[in-house]
Amino acid sequence: MLSDVTTPQDLDDRFREAVGGLVVPTPVRSADGPVRDGTTLTGVRAMELFDAQLTSRHLDLAARWLRSFGEGFYTIGSAGHEGNAAVAAAVRATDPALLHYRSGAFYAARMAQAAAVPALAGDGDRADEAPGTMFGDPIANAARDVLRGIVASVEEPIAGGRHKVFGNAALDIIPTTSTIASHLPRAVGVGFAVERLRRGAANPAARHRAGNQSRLTDARTAAAEARAAWPADAIVVCSFGDASVNHASATAAFNTAGWCDHTGLRIPVLFVCEDNGLGISVRSPDGWVAAALSAKPGIRYFSADGCDLAQAYDVASEAAAWVRRHRRPAVLHLSTVRLMGHAGADAEVAYRPASELQRDLGRDPLIGTAKLIVEAGLATPEQVIARYDAVGWQVRKVAEEVLGEAKLTSAADIVAPLAPRRPVRVSRTVAEAGTWGAGPGAAARAAAFGDRLPEAAGPLTLAQTINAALADGMLDYPGMTVFGEDVAAKGGVYGVTKGLRDRFGASRVFDTLLDETSVLGLGLGAGLGGMLPVPEIQYLAYLHNAEDQLRGEAATMQFFSKGAYRNPMVVRVAGLAYQEGFGGHFHNDNSVAVLRDVPGLVLAVPSRPDDAAPMLRSCLASAAVDGTVCVFLEPIALYHTRDLYAEGDEEWLAPYLGPGGWASGHVPIGRARVYGVGSAEDITIITFGNGVRMSLRAASRLAEEGIGTRVVDLRWLAPLPVADIFREASATGRVLVVDETRRSGGVGEGVVAGLVDAGYVGVVRRVASIDSFVPLGPAAREVLVSEDAITQGARTLLAR
């Protein structure tokens, strides 16, 4: 009689009963031959994979045992999905993999693959362990990795106790979070990077650029060389559950892979859907997953019974070979079952009849593989059960060992890998910009790309300055790519990327399909592959439907891998308000709260041309040196602004300052800029973006009234330049925060909180846009900060 949920005891009893009733046939098969007629799975390989399946099953049982006395913190298991061990066997140990949280047997199988090749195996704390045998160390190694994650041990090899994930840099398993389907767009990006690097290795121009790059500092080459170990014919493996098929992120990934295939771009990704028919308690309608996956244009469809190891292995091998040979995407649809519920004490009887639970028990993949082995004469029922018990005791022993391992106990330790900052190396990297082309390769570089924009060229607008800085970045970082909607032939909606494709070629400056999730996913994967991606999001409002690619994927990579993996990226976003003659809130979005809320993300907002290039160089260098994820938010209304105080004064233009030298080369992350207007020091205005120009104009009017003003341009909204804010605020004791974002959740709240936390004791007042979307036309003026509001706010502050 089943309880509310299929229990470990139910699985154990059913396994022993089913296997005990098997009969060894005569004659028996050779271990080196097929385990049954019509399959390519040999007896030896079946035994190896059975060990991986057993390891995965006993890890699930151990997780529940640990949870029973408060020492286990994660119980989403792989029971019923153990057929994914066949997928690991069908691909290579060097194929990058992004795994579903039920792909435990894949992890165990890959550990065994790596153990067979000592150069690929393990990490430093396993140096004294011999490469495993079929029934040896790989079991303990896989169990140790996974169980350390379950008990949140600091010794866990990828996340260090921050989360239980399947990840291991030595095994080329890229960690993924539990967010449903959010890793699929990244998998497409990794496939893009794998293929781009493969083709680049055979491209004479790319070899030339790589030769020049080798003369750069170690910091500059770190990102480009990060994934040099991926073989040229590697493919990407990405597993997910059936409910994920319906998620927008999955739809975006499939669509992007198919779109690329349709246009002739090669994306060697094998998607693996582990279909147990349920998303927690919600059923996938019969036939829906197969219909949805098989209808994806540009993606080859394969299907197999994931509970039948031989069939799963044959079809997975065929699918992997097809992807590897054709360099095109495919999906492998594995039919599985889910045993022991979704997680923990999931009461399945609330939504599943007992007959269905019994049916799934009958499809237990462990019983299926045991039957395969016994009926081939490779082992007796008694030997199979003995092996089951031996693996179980080995896993339990490891569980007892990891119980006493240390946990994370300080905030400093927890956040250490989140967003490392090495400002001296960043400064040195920027200062050395332009030097890599010197020497024998300089003439060839100049012939290929043309010269840099001369020092002090201009004066230029904000848009022109960003364009010039992007061109310099393309010269300084051979792995840098610029891509997004309309950025190539058109040069961007506002001309910011104009001419870059003609200068650097379509392989480095290219258009994408119109989907922000896919644009960011492409960047995430490209960064993992050693490139320096600079994707563009056409408007800030368009970012919001893809925010999780930054929050849940980009910003978490170093955090959940202790820096073993990183996705350096500089996301250019056109945003903020005050466009005239064009708009509505989709083109005048002033909401940045979600970006400031992402731990570790750098948010830069250049307001003036002479800041834009140095700030962009800092972002590029920080991405290359520290793997930083940066958002470079460009105020649309200031792109082509020329004047400051009066028409024709051209005081919003600036000469272009090239990358060489410490003074002009960059702006340190988290440092503000201060302007003095008037002779006295009566008030400090703290602002950013469009607010800088408005505040300077307002300060000029105040100066005519004898009021002196300090205008502080934050420049960096994350991290906020709190030290600079406090210093400049304390200089006058009167602070006006001019915030073009909204009063609720706006930047101004962070500024005021920073002042309070720093001990500021003066007077502070805010002028902010109201809590509204930005309407079309002149009505926008009614909800946004104005110069008059700034001037009046300053006067009111002084009157107190």
Side-chain angles (χ1 to χ4, degrees), residues 599-641:
L601 184 141
V602 168
L603 176 55
V605 182
S607 61
R608 301 196 69 157
D610 50 351
D611 276 339
M615 290 175 70
L616 182 55
R617 291 190 197 105
S618 294
C619 289
L620 292 171
S622 184
V625 170
D626 294 325
T628 307
V629 179
C630 303
V631 173
F632 198 73
L633 180 58
E634 302 163 7
I636 299 172
L638 299 177
Y639 267 149
H640 305 299
T641 297

Side-chain angles (χ1 to χ4, degrees), residues 63 121 145 149 152 310 319 321 356 389 490 540 622 625 637 726 732 772 794:
D145 284 358
E356 186 177 300
D389 288 335
K490 184 179 176 67
L540 177 59
S622 184
V625 170
F726 179 73
T732 65
S772 170

Side-chain angles (χ1 to χ4, degrees), residues 298-343:
I299 301 179
R300 181 74 176 268
Y301 177 77
F302 297 86
S303 65
D305 182 356
C307 298
D308 181 337
L309 186 68
Q311 185 184 134
Y313 177 78
D314 289 337
V315 178
S317 298
E318 181 186 0
W322 188 89
V323 173
R324 199 178 308 278
R325 180 170 63 253
H326 295 285
R327 318 302 298 167
R328 297 173 65 186
V331 61
L332 171 61
H333 181 195
L334 289 180
S335 172
T336 68
V337 293
R338 191 186 74 187
L339 305 175
M340 295 197 294
H342 172 70

Side-chain angles (χ1 to χ4, degrees), residues 29-46 49 86 308-317 372-373 376 378:
R29 293 178 178 270
S30 167
D32 294 327
V35 73
R36 74 179 180 208
D37 292 342
T39 184
T40 60
L41 180 67
T42 66
V44 171
R45 179 57 61 89
L49 297 182
D308 181 337
L309 186 68
Q311 185 184 134
Y313 177 78
D314 289 337
V315 178
S317 298
L372 195 68
I373 289 169
L378 301 173

Side-chain angles (χ1 to χ4, degrees), residues 186-196 236 266-269 327 525:
R186 183 200 294 274
V188 176
V190 175
F192 167 82
V194 165
E195 189 64 9
R196 180 61 59 93
V236 181
R266 295 298 175 236
I267 304 291
V269 178
R327 318 302 298 167

Side-chain angles (χ1 to χ4, degrees), residues 398-456:
V398 173
E400 293 171 350
E401 291 172 356
V402 303
L403 268 176
E405 293 184 346
K407 309 290 193 295
L408 290 164
T409 57
S410 75
D413 288 341
I414 292 168
V415 303
L418 177 62
R421 298 275 187 265
R422 288 174 287 184
V424 174
R425 292 187 69 182
V426 169
S427 296
R428 186 188 311 128
T429 299
V430 175
E432 293 173 355
T435 63
W436 69 268
R445 178 190 61 78
F449 298 134
D451 294 326
R452 293 180 184 274
L453 195 66
E455 284 281 329

Side-chain angles (χ1 to χ4, degrees), residues 296-560:
K296 301 295 182 187
I299 301 179
R300 181 74 176 268
Y301 177 77
F302 297 86
S303 65
D305 182 356
C307 298
D308 181 337
L309 186 68
Q311 185 184 134
Y313 177 78
D314 289 337
V315 178
S317 298
E318 181 186 0
W322 188 89
V323 173
R324 199 178 308 278
R325 180 170 63 253
H326 295 285
R327 318 302 298 167
R328 297 173 65 186
V331 61
L332 171 61
H333 181 195
L334 289 180
S335 172
T336 68
V337 293
R338 191 186 74 187
L339 305 175
M340 295 197 294
H342 172 70
D346 175 25
E348 289 187 288
V349 293
Y351 56 89
R352 301 184 72 189
S355 59
E356 186 177 300
L357 299 178
Q358 289 284 2
R359 182 201 65 195
D360 283 359
L361 275 172
R363 293 190 62 213
D364 186 340
L366 257 65
I367 294 175
T369 303
K371 183 178 180 181
L372 195 68
I373 289 169
V374 172
E375 292 183 349
L378 301 173
T380 65
E382 293 76 18
Q383 289 172 325
V384 169
I385 293 173
R387 186 63 199 149
Y388 171 86
D389 288 335
V391 172
W393 281 112
Q394 192 172 4
V395 171
R396 177 63 68 90
K397 179 176 181 292
V398 173
E400 293 171 350
E401 291 172 356
V402 303
L403 268 176
E405 293 184 346
K407 309 290 193 295
L408 290 164
T409 57
S410 75
D413 288 341
I414 292 168
V415 303
L418 177 62
R421 298 275 187 265
R422 288 174 287 184
V424 174
R425 292 187 69 182
V426 169
S427 296
R428 186 188 311 128
T429 299
V430 175
E432 293 173 355
T435 63
W436 69 268
R445 178 190 61 78
F449 298 134
D451 294 326
R452 293 180 184 274
L453 195 66
E455 284 281 329
L460 304 179
T461 64
L462 180 67
Q464 291 169 331
T465 301
I466 294 171
N467 177 277
L470 287 171
D472 273 336
M474 298 289 276
L475 293 173
D476 294 331
Y477 301 93
M480 178 174 158
T481 54
V482 173
F483 54 89
E485 302 166 9
D486 301 309
V487 304
K490 184 179 176 67
V493 174
Y494 298 95
V496 180
T497 57
K498 185 177 181 180
L500 293 181
R501 188 188 70 166
D502 293 340
R503 189 174 180 187
F504 297 100
S507 65
R508 297 187 66 194
V509 182
F510 55 90
D511 291 324
T512 65
L513 72 174
L514 273 64
D515 176 64
E516 285 69 32
T517 296
S518 299
V519 171
L520 294 177
L522 192 67
L524 293 175
L528 275 176
M531 302 168 70
L532 182 53
V534 183
E536 177 186 292
I537 301 298
Q538 198 167 84
Y539 289 102
L540 177 59
Y542 298 175
L543 174 67
H544 300 310
N545 60 24
E547 287 161 356
D548 190 56
Q549 290 298 297
L550 292 178
R551 182 200 65 82
E553 291 293 315
T556 62
M557 179 51 69
Q558 295 199 87
F559 185 73
F560 287 137

